Amino acid sequence: RRPGPIFSSCFPLSCFNVHRKARQNNHVVRSTSLYNRPFVEQFEETPLLVAVLTYVGYGILTIFGYLRDFLRNWGVENCHVARERDEQKDFVPLYQDFENFYTRNLYMRIRDNWNRPICSVPGAKMDLVERTSKDYNWTFEHTGKVVKDVINMGSYNYLGFAENTGRCADNATGSTHKYGVGVGSTRSEMGNLDIHEELEQLVARFLGVESSMAFGMGFATNSMNIPALAGKGCLILSDELNHASLALGARLSGATIRVFKHNNMVSLEKLLRDAIVHGQPRTHRPWKKMLILVEGIYSMEGSIVRLPEVIALKKHYKAYLYLDEAHSIGALGPRGGGVVDYFGLDPKDVDIMMGTFTKSFGAAGGYIGGKRELIDYLRSHSHSSIYATAMSPPVSQQIITSMKIIMGEDNTTLGEFTQQLSENTTYFRRKLREMGFIIYGNNDSPVVPMMLYMPAKIGAFGREMLKRNIGTVVVGFPATPIIESRARFCVSAAHTRDMLDTVSHRSETRTHTCTRHA
């Protein structure tokens, strides 16, 4: 029997058509029986004139790039980029021409906005090593000076635990004295410490699941565990904006991959129905497994997954759900329990709960939580568990201490840090909108993308903000669509109102300056 579309009975499809139209009008409010409060996200379409000017800007950069390549070929201008040697010109090319073209003619012009050396704790404020370039960003030289007290709006330090003083730092230091810094073995051999066992039990209690497993690297938590969960004959349904680690893990698994439009439940349901109706290609046999991959907070868009609707679809079509909470764990929900806590859902409805310790906990590594049978299976089948070195003891202790503070088990008020982050997020987003900026994402997301559009503004905005002692991340093509370049702010519980006011005020003045420069 073909299953009917779930949203034809629970929610009329017209509401999703309204959603698409509302997205163009910069306002989306969803309030259905699956949500206990309105779900608000904003994604204003790029104005036509701005889009045209942006394409023209990239066109001019491309034309001048080809002109400079012509001058390089004739020896008029020096070429610093890696290229094929003349004696290997008949070999299969090692370097892709377009990638090289983009690197040497576009990215290189604004490369000074990335990889800035930091010489302090990346807390609410940080110190940067000053550097200069005499050859248009091909090489850098350190001047020996330090730029002090730069407001840090780029680090994923959502709850302010990235510090070298306080309980977390003291406990991590004590752990170093007791265990050392490195383990020198895998968990399955001689690297399984009691502190690792304590960490995993604490994570399971924090998530509200039966069991959990910790890994030393967040990226590998996705890329190495998805292949253990899916393989040939399985179907993976992935959101189009999923992180590279999810995409890599899906590809390594050998499963069939189909991509649905971002946070679009109509698109996801259509793929699920087609998968059940048609089965596998050629043979039309039923899929061995259908696995849905989504993120809690999408780090480039600032949007939050429509988890209640995804779970409803997952249950109706008997699929499995893999939830990546790298940016949402600790940062969302009244208890800091992530997007599941944010929507007030049952953790048991999510089959695989994944997250990282690199953001809200100020540490490193990742975890997977779920049923005990799942975790026992991964311990013997996950390459990230069998072959990777165990997590460093001081890192483990940092996670344990910060997680207990979030849970209120360490003489702190439950939700104190998450409440401060929520207030800062609401205040900063409202402040930027009142000043006329175009902001993407959900109102409750601490990831705040501010649209720049023009290619010339990308480099100019980052430089001008640093001149005013504000460090932020600027992002452009190919990390974003070509007409949606942006600056991305990451709000922290450690930020004060004065810091946020300073950033918003100077963002306004620097945007006007960038417009004149562009």
Side-chain angles (χ1 to χ4, degrees):
R1 175 179 174 271
R2 295 184 180 182
I6 183 172
F7 290 118
S8 64
S9 56
C10 294
F11 313 104
L13 290 176
S14 59
C15 75
F16 290 93
N17 295 329
V18 171
H19 159 61
R20 285 195 291 268
K21 294 177 182 177
R23 174 187 171 99
Q24 297 175 1
N25 294 328
N26 193 34
H27 193 61
V28 178
V29 177
R30 295 293 312 283
S31 181
T32 66
S33 58
L34 287 181
Y35 292 84
N36 53 18
R37 59 178 174 178
F39 186 81
V40 182
E41 290 193 343
Q42 297 181 349
F43 297 93
E44 182 175 331
E45 296 290 338
T46 305
L48 179 60
L49 177 60
V50 175
V52 171
L53 292 177
T54 301
Y55 279 119
V56 170
Y58 276 104
I60 293 174
L61 288 173
T62 303
I63 292 172
F64 274 90
Y66 280 114
L67 176 61
R68 300 188 68 182
D69 278 352
F70 175 79
L71 297 177
R72 292 186 184 110
N73 289 334
W74 285 93
V76 178
E77 181 178 339
N78 293 330
C79 184
H80 303 277
V81 76
R83 56 181 177 177
E84 312 293 344
R85 293 186 294 178
D86 292 337
E87 56 267 30
Q88 293 179 319
K89 62 181 180 180
D90 295 328
F91 286 28
V92 176
L94 179 63
Y95 305 104
Q96 297 295 324
D97 182 65
F98 177 75
E99 293 177 359
N100 279 343
F101 177 86
Y102 182 87
T103 298
R104 63 180 174 261
N105 293 307
L106 282 78
Y107 166 73
M108 199 60 61
R109 311 297 291 184
I110 57 176
R111 192 164 73 105
D112 57 302
N113 284 281
W114 295 282
N115 304 317
R116 290 169 175 160
I118 299 173
C119 55
S120 70
V121 172
K125 289 187 176 182
M126 59 186 177
D127 299 336
L128 300 182
V129 176
E130 187 179 70
R131 60 181 183 173
T132 60
S133 177
K134 298 178 181 179
D135 53 6
Y136 301 101
N137 295 337
W138 287 102
T139 60
F140 292 100
E141 296 178 0
H142 294 166
T143 64
K145 297 180 181 179
V146 175
V147 184
K148 294 282 189 179
D149 295 329
V150 177
I151 299 177
N152 183 6
M153 296 300 297
S155 296
Y156 303 132
N157 184 26
Y158 295 132
L159 297 181
F161 287 118
E163 295 293 343
N164 55 4
T165 58
R167 279 171 290 179
C168 290
D170 293 342
N171 290 348
T173 302
S175 176
T176 304
H177 289 306
K178 181 178 180 180
Y179 298 99
V181 175
V183 178
S185 180
T186 65
R187 291 281 301 275
S188 58
E189 295 173 338
M190 300 299 294
N192 189 31
L193 305 179
D194 57 346
I195 195 173
H196 295 142
E197 299 281 348
E198 179 186 357
L199 170 61
E200 291 178 341
Q201 293 172 9
L202 181 64
V203 171
R205 192 166 77 250
F206 180 59
L207 298 176
V209 296
E210 293 181 4
S211 184
S212 74
M213 187 175 180
F215 304 88
M217 181 181 178
F219 191 96
T221 305
N222 278 332
S223 60
M224 292 291 99
N225 282 293
I226 293 176
L229 297 171
K232 188 176 180 180
C234 299
L235 175 65
I236 292 179
L237 304 171
S238 177
D239 190 290
E240 65 179 346
L241 296 183
N242 274 343
H243 190 261
S245 59
L246 290 169
L248 178 60
R251 291 170 183 168
L252 291 175
S253 70
T256 301
I257 305 170
R258 290 175 185 164
V259 179
F260 60 92
K261 295 178 182 179
H262 174 56
N263 250 353
N264 189 314
M265 297 303 107
V266 173
S267 176
L268 174 58
E269 184 175 23
K270 183 178 185 303
L271 292 179
L272 286 167
R273 294 186 66 202
D274 289 345
I276 292 176
V277 171
H278 300 294
Q280 299 184 42
R282 294 191 300 274
T283 64
H284 299 293
R285 293 177 180 174
W287 295 99
K288 295 179 180 178
K289 189 185 304 179
M290 294 190 298
L291 181 64
I292 302 172
L293 302 184
V294 293
E295 293 187 52
I297 293 179
Y298 292 84
S299 60
M300 206 58 69
E301 301 293 323
S303 63
I304 297 176
V305 65
R306 299 177 180 275
L307 190 59
E309 299 168 55
V310 175
I311 289 178
L313 284 172
K314 165 244 175 184
K315 289 181 176 180
H316 186 74
Y317 291 99
K318 304 299 187 291
Y320 293 94
L321 176 58
Y322 186 109
L323 174 63
D324 179 344
E325 292 220 72
H327 288 268
S328 54
I329 191 67
L332 287 180
R335 300 185 302 104
V339 70
V340 176
D341 183 31
Y342 175 77
F343 287 112
L345 302 173
D346 188 349
K348 296 179 181 179
D349 289 335
V350 180
D351 301 286
I352 304 102
M353 299 185 70
M354 176 270 170
T356 64
F357 303 119
T358 57
K359 281 83 175 175
S360 295
F361 304 97
Y367 67 82
I368 283 184
K371 292 184 178 180
R372 194 172 304 279
E373 294 81 3
L374 167 71
I375 303 305
D376 291 342
Y377 173 82
L378 289 177
R379 291 191 192 281
S380 58
H381 289 79
S382 170
H383 287 183
S384 188
S385 169
I386 300 173
Y387 301 110
T389 302
M391 182 182 290
S392 173
V395 172
S396 302
Q397 186 60 57
Q398 164 79 16
I399 301 166
I400 291 173
T401 305
S402 59
M403 189 171 290
K404 286 183 176 179
I405 292 174
I406 297 171
M407 298 171 69
E409 296 183 2
D410 199 13
N411 299 323
T412 57
T413 304
L414 180 64
E416 177 181 339
F417 291 85
T418 55
Q419 179 64 28
Q420 184 62 48
L421 174 62
S422 177
E423 292 176 1
N424 285 353
T425 297
T426 302
Y427 178 79
F428 188 63
R429 280 182 168 272
R430 184 178 69 248
K431 191 84 173 177
L432 291 180
R433 287 200 189 96
E434 289 173 352
M435 300 172 73
F437 291 111
I438 298 175
I439 305 301
Y440 271 14
N442 193 285
N443 285 350
D444 296 323
S445 170
V447 179
V448 186
M450 188 182 81
M451 307 310 295
L452 297 176
Y453 300 115
M454 306 290 186
K457 284 186 178 181
I458 301 174
F461 185 85
R463 296 180 191 120
E464 292 295 326
M465 291 294 281
L466 184 58
K467 289 179 182 178
R468 274 71 186 176
N469 267 35
I470 298 173
T472 187
V473 175
V474 288
V475 191
F477 179 81
T480 66
I482 196 168
I483 59 173
E484 293 185 7
S485 299
R486 65 198 67 178
R488 187 186 63 179
F489 300 106
C490 292
V491 182
S492 170
H495 289 140
T496 64
R497 288 294 173 91
D498 288 340
M499 292 180 188
L500 298 178
D501 287 339
T502 300
V503 172
S504 58
H505 173 69
R506 292 181 179 174
S507 295
E508 182 180 35
T509 56
R510 289 316 102 205
T511 301
H512 294 324
T513 303
C514 293
T515 302
R516 290 196 299 271
H517 289 176

